[in-house]
Amino acid sequence: MTGPLLFGLAILLAAIVPGPDFAMVVRNTVLSGRVSGMWTATGIGLGIVVWVVATSIGLAALLAASALAFTVVKLAGAAYLVYLGIRSIRTAVKERRRPAAEIELDRPMSHWAAFRSGLMCNLLNPKAVVLFTALMPQFLVGGGSQAVLIVELAAVGMAVCGLFYIGLANLIGLFRAVLERPRVRAWLNGVTGAVMVALGLRVAAN
């Protein structure tokens, strides 16, 4: 198996394990629909490109080596997750108190907002620093053009991660009939928010 394919497999395995990116796609899909989830997935995919390039030129390694910088990224990521989680919980509480007929099923979220949330979630994930710092050196060896290899790895990583989360958004979309029930929507918002808060606190504590 060639380097880019192995890299793609590693990225896929990392994506499958539920984490902040996974929770963000679920949150935005539940909150605003399948299209928002897909734009969130696209933002996460671009985040993979940024990490591949940053690691290749040594920025991620410097970040991992600096305790202060790593702590800043970690706390910023944790705060972002907790903030979004609390917003989802507040939405759930409000919906539980309102008559079912008055609950808005699809809360407006622009494509840019969904894309930005996915990108920021990925870039502020401290686990990405560790993952790419450990992973990339294994593939940036040997002969050939390093620039071409970096482009290949970035493209493969973005495609694999983006397509996985796009698939997740569409899978959630298959349960549209169930998700359209106002009380189910409120319950999912509450659970998703609680998970994001828990992830944020876990990131801050580690």
Side-chain angles (χ1 to χ4, degrees):
M1 188 178 290
T2 63
L5 291 179
L6 279 173
F7 180 75
L9 178 59
I11 294 298
L12 177 60
L13 293 175
I16 290 174
V17 178
D21 291 343
F22 194 102
M24 184 65 71
V25 172
V26 172
R27 172 191 180 272
N28 287 353
T29 304
V30 170
L31 190 64
S32 296
R34 178 176 57 86
V35 174
S36 290
M38 294 173 68
W39 276 101
T40 305
T42 304
I44 294 171
L46 182 59
I48 298 296
V49 173
V50 174
W51 280 118
V52 169
V53 175
T55 308
S56 300
I57 61 179
L59 291 180
L62 291 174
L63 184 61
S66 171
L68 177 59
F70 184 82
T71 299
V72 169
V73 171
K74 181 177 71 172
L75 294 179
Y80 186 60
L81 289 172
V82 170
Y83 166 72
L84 292 177
I86 290 175
R87 284 188 60 184
S88 291
I89 292 173
R90 290 182 61 188
T91 297
V93 171
K94 289 180 180 178
E95 290 182 345
R96 290 290 297 175
R97 293 175 177 174
R98 295 172 61 189
E102 295 180 5
I103 295 178
E104 184 180 359
L105 293 179
D106 280 327
R107 296 182 177 278
M109 175 180 287
S110 68
H111 295 168
W112 166 245
F115 174 85
R116 181 184 59 203
S117 68
L119 177 63
M120 293 302 296
C121 182
N122 186 265
L123 294 182
L124 291 176
N125 185 359
K127 291 185 178 180
V129 179
V130 178
L131 173 65
F132 284 94
T133 300
L135 191 63
M136 286 298 294
Q138 313 302 318
F139 297 94
L140 295 178
V141 294
S145 171
Q146 292 293 296
V148 172
L149 181 56
I150 290 170
V151 171
E152 289 179 350
L153 294 177
V156 169
M158 180 177 184
V160 170
C161 190
L163 289 175
F164 172 79
Y165 287 121
I166 286 174
L168 175 63
N170 280 275
L171 179 62
I172 296 172
L174 292 177
F175 298 94
R176 186 70 176 173
V178 176
L179 294 178
E180 283 180 345
R181 299 175 184 174
R183 296 311 177 192
V184 173
R185 177 70 62 90
W187 181 83
L188 284 175
N189 277 334
V191 171
T192 304
V195 169
M196 297 191 77
V197 170
L199 284 171
L201 294 177
R202 182 178 179 182
V203 166
N206 291 336

